[in-house]
Amino acid sequence: MLGILSAGIAPGLALLSYFYLKDEYESEPVTFVFRAFVYGALLVFPIMFIQYVLEVENLVQSEIIHAFFSTSLLEEFFKWFILIYTVYQHIEFDEPYDGIVYGAAVSLGFATAENIFYLLGNGLEYAMGRALLPVSSHALFGVIMGYYLGKAKFNQASKVKWFILSLLLPFLLHGIYDFILLSLENWVIYMFPFMIFLWWLGLRKAKHARTLNSQHRIEVNKGLPF
């Protein structure tokens, strides 16, 4: 049991630590980041219940609908809602990169809880594969979501556009990820380049968010509106 818990928790904490430590200026309070992580973990229960009902009632009969709606849209919407409701207006969300930290925290909380349940049901031998695919992909979906929420909060001119992208892009990427796993026979062939692209995109957004942090600090120091 201890081994499964350790294997289930370690990838999520490692990835969260990575994105947390990339904040070059004022690090976010650990307690608030951990709270976002816990909120994400708690999302597993309502989402699992809804997905269970959809499966039992046989309401989803197409693999593409299952990939994009009963999995991707459901999970990404709940994560997005939690970020908006608990983090977006909070005083600690005071720089563009903070969106990435909190987006990763909520997503990795969800991925970690999901990972523990999966390993408990299927065994420790799946730990490496789970760390490389579901856990890391959830982290990157959260990074992308948080990046656009950071843009929305600190770029009033295009606020609506960034809000839409903060949900739409993770939803589409998550849907593609699940569709590859569920529908394609030689899924490894397609998943490998997709994960490379996802890492490239997530790290690029994180790098750009750090640049936005620098610009934001200059504007604040000059007393300009942001």
Side-chain angles (χ1 to χ4, degrees):
M1 175 66 77
L2 182 60
I4 287 178
L5 289 176
S6 300
I9 293 170
L13 290 182
L15 286 167
L16 180 56
S17 298
Y18 173 80
F19 288 108
Y20 179 84
L21 293 173
K22 283 293 183 178
D23 193 343
E24 296 176 340
Y25 295 104
E26 184 179 351
S27 296
E28 299 308 291
V30 173
T31 53
F32 194 56
V33 175
F34 180 70
R35 188 188 307 173
F37 183 89
V38 172
Y39 287 146
L42 293 175
L43 284 178
V44 164
F45 299 102
I47 289 174
M48 285 178 63
F49 175 75
I50 295 170
Q51 290 173 338
Y52 173 77
V53 171
L54 292 174
E55 182 179 351
V56 168
E57 297 296 329
N58 200 28
L59 297 176
V60 178
Q61 300 181 0
S62 165
E63 288 182 341
I64 192 167
I65 293 176
H66 177 55
F68 279 90
F69 293 96
S70 64
T71 301
S72 175
L73 182 60
L74 189 62
E75 293 178 6
E76 296 307 322
F77 174 78
F78 270 88
K79 290 188 287 184
W80 182 81
F81 177 79
I82 285 293
L83 281 170
I84 296 294
Y85 186 73
T86 66
V87 173
Y88 185 79
Q89 297 296 341
H90 200 280
I91 192 172
E92 297 295 351
F93 191 170
D94 55 2
E95 292 180 328
Y97 188 84
D98 295 352
I100 285 180
V101 173
Y102 294 117
V106 170
S107 282
L108 283 168
F110 176 85
T112 297
E114 185 182 58
N115 198 32
I116 291 171
F117 284 125
Y118 187 91
L119 295 180
L120 285 172
N122 297 277
L124 195 56
E125 62 269 22
Y126 292 95
M128 182 61 72
R130 295 283 303 176
L132 292 175
L133 291 178
V135 177
S136 62
S137 63
H138 272 292
L140 296 165
F141 300 147
V143 164
I144 294 165
M145 182 180 291
Y147 168 78
Y148 285 108
L149 286 178
K151 293 272 285 185
K153 183 159 186 176
F154 299 102
N155 187 338
Q156 300 298 321
S158 304
K159 194 180 189 74
V160 174
K161 179 177 76 172
W162 304 130
F163 261 124
I164 293 172
L165 284 174
S166 70
L167 178 59
L168 180 62
L169 195 54
F171 155 65
L172 291 175
L173 290 169
H174 192 161
I176 293 169
Y177 169 89
D178 283 331
F179 183 73
I180 291 172
L181 282 180
L182 293 170
S183 304
L184 303 180
E185 291 185 7
N186 299 316
W187 62 268
V188 176
I189 297 173
Y190 301 95
M191 186 60 74
F192 182 69
F194 178 77
M195 289 302 296
I196 291 176
F197 167 75
L198 193 59
W199 270 105
W200 170 81
L201 182 62
L203 293 177
R204 185 168 179 264
K205 296 301 183 187
K207 181 178 180 180
H208 189 239
R210 292 196 295 273
T211 301
L212 293 177
N213 264 18
S214 300
Q215 296 172 355
H216 174 72
R217 282 181 167 264
I218 291 171
E219 291 173 354
V220 169
N221 291 334
K222 288 181 177 180
L224 297 175
F226 50 85

